Amino acid sequence: MNTNKRENVAAYSFLAPALILLGTFLVIPALMAIYYAFTDYYLLTPDQRQFIGLQNFMEIFKDPIFIQSLKNIVLFVVFVIPIQVGAALGLALLINKPRKGNIFFKVAYFSPVVLSLVVISVLWLYLLNPSEGLINSLLANIGMEAQPFLSSPKQAMITIVFVSAWQGAGYQMLIFLAGLQNIPSTVYEAGKIDGVNKWQNFFHITLPLLKPTSVLIMITTLISAFKLIIQPMVMTQGGPMNSTMTPVYYIYQSGFSDRMIGYASAMTVIFGIIIGIITLLQSRLTKEDDM
Amino acid sequence: MHKKLKKSIEYFLLILLACIFIFPMLWMVVSSMKPEAEIYLDMGGIQSLLPSLDVSQWFLTYKELFSRFNVPQYVINSIIYAVTITVGSIMVNAMAGFAFAKFEFRGKKLLFGLLLVLLIVPVETIIITQFTVAHTLGILNTRLAVVLPMIGNMFFIYLFRNFFRAVPDEIIESVKLDGANNWIVFWKVILPMSKPAVATVGTLSFIASWNDYLWPLMVLTDTDKFPLQVAITNINTTQPVYTNQVMAILTISTIPLIIVYIFAQKYILQGLGGSGTGIK
């Protein structure tokens, strides 16, 4: 009994700092968001906070900007996943062959990963400047007309897709590369004996064996893509005409800039549930694949 | 002949791709090394990817930038935040991981289950109520507010716990027989035997905290407490805005990361999401 108690005390003294920090900055805020979602909490008048039931939730689903932000984020996810993951796989396959200068190419493709999201956002803001940016100057060199990019509601989100994919592909290329190198060469040799050609090799040996890696990469990309905020915040402020407004950015604007804590909390709850479900599905999927 | 042609096409493709991935960064660095007017004069030509032909111009932009903004202060701030968060994160999460790996205590199953549930909470969406907590604690606009929420991390606890479980109990018992208490075991046995886990957590939390933008932007109002990431957008919106000076601050903020990526490259891949594929 005595040793048991001593073990309890020891364990909790090791746990204490983590429990206090996670409790204060994660558990309490999460619970507060759920509670505030049912109130009309306005930051500047905390004393007049009232319980208003489901009113916030009803308003949210009538809020054209929130609906737009959901559409935008789906558009972003639908494009960024195939482009970024596809590019990563393509690069990994290219690099996987032994050849002179491979290290250089590997470092080159990886290099944007080193830049922070703020840095890439500001940098591309200049590169994509419609009148005097480098990209439009290069397009002019090959006889193409200048594109509006971020200043057009039609092109802005797609532009953010390409900038994000450009930054992230190199990291996933390395993961694919590790996956490729885990495939034993005996598998290919066996294929050779059976007389398979290059395409069969890729579609019937490489791709199936890469499936666990691909699923993992796609789902982690999916989850982080849903939480997009920095690129639109720095590059477009959600515009033009809310075409790059995202849910997390809208939560930030309502709760922080407009100080409507109750309303923002209700959006947090809805969006948190969506991401939570995706994350749960992820652990299911990846577990099955491990077996 | 056919084989040679194929090889040339392959190299052409590889080089073309390399250009696509490199040119933005190259333009960033060289544009910080020339006068403002030259950037726009060169735009589109080959000279747009070369620094000023006049070597004496190369660091003039940096001098101008430093005279307008307190850049060394931003660098020091970023280093303070990143180092504090990294060291704190290793300590706090390793201690919790040690408790889960090597102790039997009341509520262990419940707490560990809770921890796994917390892995699902998307931290980015609760920034608003995190902010009200910081407000209630009265730590807004302090360095403490930047650092504290970034330290506790469920994924790191999980990673440490899995790693520590591999340390044989016999070693711990024998050290304890020599009179060592749990603290000494943690410091002298567990941590030194888990250098890869420490390095992984250290690398990942350094990069994450160096790149963190939204939270410091929210809690800080004094510019002299800004980390580099926040300073970048501040410089980019403070009139008059000079392209070459903006590129200079982008370059400065990236250099430490390049160093980290070079020296810690083998630990970067371990951080693949919170998906439980970490070290087993």
Side-chain angles (χ1 to χ4, degrees):
Chain A
M1 190 60 207
N2 204 1
T3 52
N4 229 338
K5 203 177 165 193
R6 208 183 290 161
E7 180 135 345
N8 274 337
V9 172
Y12 276 100
S13 61
F14 276 101
L15 280 169
L19 292 185
I20 291 169
L21 285 173
L22 287 172
T24 312
F25 294 105
L26 197 65
V27 179
I28 290 176
L31 295 176
M32 278 166 75
I34 295 171
Y35 171 66
Y36 289 154
F38 298 96
T39 69
D40 60 357
Y41 188 3
Y42 179 65
L43 187 67
L44 302 183
T45 54
D47 302 332
Q48 294 164 27
R49 187 168 73 214
Q50 270 182 3
F51 187 78
I52 54 165
L54 292 171
Q55 202 179 312
N56 281 331
F57 293 95
M58 280 165 0
E59 267 172 52
I60 284 167
F61 285 108
K62 280 185 278 178
D63 184 338
I65 304 180
F66 185 70
I67 306 282
Q68 173 86 45
S69 77
L70 286 179
K71 284 183 189 163
N72 291 342
I73 201 66
V74 169
L75 180 83
F76 177 76
V77 167
V78 164
F79 279 95
V80 85
I81 291 190
I83 292 174
Q84 183 172 332
V85 179
L89 179 60
L91 293 173
L93 289 169
L94 264 175
I95 290 284
N96 195 34
K97 230 163 109 182
R99 74 164 71 74
K100 259 186 209 156
N102 242 359
I103 277 282
F104 164 78
F105 295 120
K106 200 161 134 185
V107 171
Y109 305 153
F110 184 81
S111 61
V113 179
V114 175
L115 305 174
S116 77
L117 287 179
V118 173
V119 170
I120 63 146
S121 302
V122 174
L123 176 57
W124 278 96
L125 199 55
Y126 283 85
L127 290 168
L128 293 166
N129 185 309
S131 55
E132 46 193 8
L134 182 63
I135 302 294
N136 270 334
S137 308
L138 292 175
L139 287 180
N141 285 353
I142 54 170
M144 284 176 69
E145 58 183 292
Q147 297 295 316
F149 297 119
L150 295 166
S151 52
S152 139
K154 271 191 185 142
Q155 290 184 9
M157 194 48 125
I158 288 298
T159 308
I160 292 180
V161 165
F162 276 99
V163 171
S164 308
W166 169 83
Q167 196 254 358
Y171 180 73
Q172 301 176 337
M173 170 193 77
L174 287 192
I175 300 167
F176 271 127
L177 212 53
L180 282 171
Q181 277 152 6
N182 273 338
I183 301 175
S185 58
T186 47
V187 180
Y188 291 110
E189 278 155 26
K192 230 180 211 168
I193 294 166
D194 292 341
V196 298
N197 66 31
K198 254 193 180 163
W199 290 107
Q200 289 171 323
N201 220 339
F202 178 70
F203 283 106
H204 296 292
I205 300 178
T206 312
L207 221 47
L209 286 173
L210 272 186
K211 201 184 146 204
T213 315
S214 315
V215 171
L216 186 69
I217 289 179
M218 275 198 257
I219 293 169
T220 45
T221 314
L222 180 77
I223 292 166
S224 61
F226 262 105
K227 296 187 276 200
L228 177 73
I229 174 167
I230 305 288
Q231 294 94 313
M233 193 176 176
V234 175
M235 295 172 97
T236 58
Q237 292 79 51
M241 290 155 68
N242 290 321
S243 64
T244 55
M245 180 58 76
T246 67
V248 177
Y249 190 22
Y250 193 47
I251 290 171
Y252 170 84
Q253 280 203 340
S254 322
F256 188 70
S257 313
D258 302 339
R259 296 172 176 152
M260 303 194 306
I261 310 271
Y263 194 65
S265 296
M267 286 192 282
T268 299
V269 169
I270 292 174
F271 197 63
I273 290 172
I274 296 175
I275 296 185
I277 290 172
I278 298 170
T279 316
L280 271 180
L281 286 178
Q282 165 215 348
S283 51
R284 282 282 155 78
L285 268 173
T286 41
K287 248 181 215 148
E288 270 166 30
D289 265 87
D290 281 342
M291 285 185 197
Chain B
M1 198 57 213
H2 178 69
K3 213 174 173 185
K4 231 180 187 171
L5 184 74
K6 210 183 136 208
K7 211 171 171 189
S8 316
I9 293 174
E10 225 176 67
Y11 269 102
F12 176 74
L13 186 66
L14 282 164
I15 291 168
L16 187 74
L17 283 167
C19 292
I20 292 174
F21 280 94
I22 289 178
F23 86 85
M25 218 170 158
L26 189 62
W27 185 79
M28 169 180 102
V29 177
V30 301
S31 297
S32 76
M33 298 170 78
K34 58 173 91 167
E36 183 79 355
E38 255 181 63
I39 295 178
Y40 291 99
L41 217 63
D42 296 342
M43 198 68 82
I46 192 75
Q47 178 61 31
S48 61
L49 293 179
L50 295 171
S52 176
L53 296 175
D54 179 2
V55 179
S56 68
Q57 292 284 344
W58 282 9
F59 299 104
L60 225 56
T61 314
Y62 288 84
K63 226 172 126 187
E64 287 159 9
L65 177 72
F66 278 55
S67 71
R68 284 182 65 205
F69 298 94
N70 195 354
V71 178
Q73 179 73 56
Y74 302 141
V75 175
I76 290 168
N77 291 341
S78 272
I79 292 174
I80 291 175
Y81 297 141
V83 169
T84 315
I85 291 168
T86 305
V87 173
S89 177
I90 291 171
M91 290 289 309
V92 168
N93 296 312
M95 281 167 62
F98 179 47
F100 280 119
K102 293 295 175 194
F103 288 87
E104 290 307 322
F105 57 90
R106 201 179 293 169
K108 180 176 174 178
K109 271 207 178 118
L110 181 80
L111 266 184
F112 195 68
L114 198 68
L115 197 81
L116 294 181
V117 172
L118 283 183
L119 271 173
I120 304 171
V121 177
V123 184
E124 293 84 345
T125 60
I126 57 165
I127 40 174
I128 302 300
T129 36
Q130 278 182 327
F131 181 80
T132 56
V133 166
H135 178 74
T136 311
L137 291 175
I139 54 172
L140 287 183
N141 199 24
T142 66
R143 293 175 194 281
L144 215 53
V146 178
V147 167
L148 283 182
M150 294 281 287
I151 291 177
N153 183 307
M154 296 79 57
F155 175 60
F156 292 161
I157 294 176
Y158 187 65
L159 196 141
F160 275 125
R161 172 233 183 214
N162 288 350
F163 211 94
F164 293 161
R165 285 205 326 177
V167 176
D169 286 332
E170 293 80 32
I171 298 183
I172 297 176
E173 288 309 319
S174 72
V175 181
K176 274 191 178 167
L177 280 179
D178 290 343
N181 63 24
N182 286 318
W183 277 102
I184 298 176
V185 171
F186 177 70
W187 279 109
K188 301 272 156 114
V189 182
I190 297 285
L191 276 187
M193 284 182 76
S194 311
K195 277 180 191 145
V198 171
T200 301
V201 170
T203 308
L204 295 177
S205 66
F206 185 91
I207 294 170
S209 52
W210 188 272
N211 287 344
D212 196 24
Y213 171 70
L214 199 56
W215 181 250
L217 176 75
M218 287 170 77
V219 294
L220 294 177
T221 39
D222 292 347
T223 44
D224 61 349
K225 290 179 188 140
F226 281 177
L228 277 163
Q229 304 298 324
V230 180
I232 287 171
T233 52
N234 191 38
I235 290 171
N236 190 39
T237 48
T238 306
Q239 297 297 336
V241 180
Y242 297 107
T243 307
N244 58 356
Q245 293 184 13
V246 173
M247 294 307 138
I249 190 74
L250 294 186
T251 306
I252 291 170
S253 76
T254 303
I255 291 169
L257 285 178
I258 295 177
I259 297 170
V260 169
Y261 273 94
I262 289 173
F263 286 101
Q265 42 180 308
K266 64 177 168 178
Y267 303 112
I268 309 277
L269 279 191
Q270 311 280 10
L272 184 59
S275 47
T277 51
I279 304 154
K280 290 230 171 81

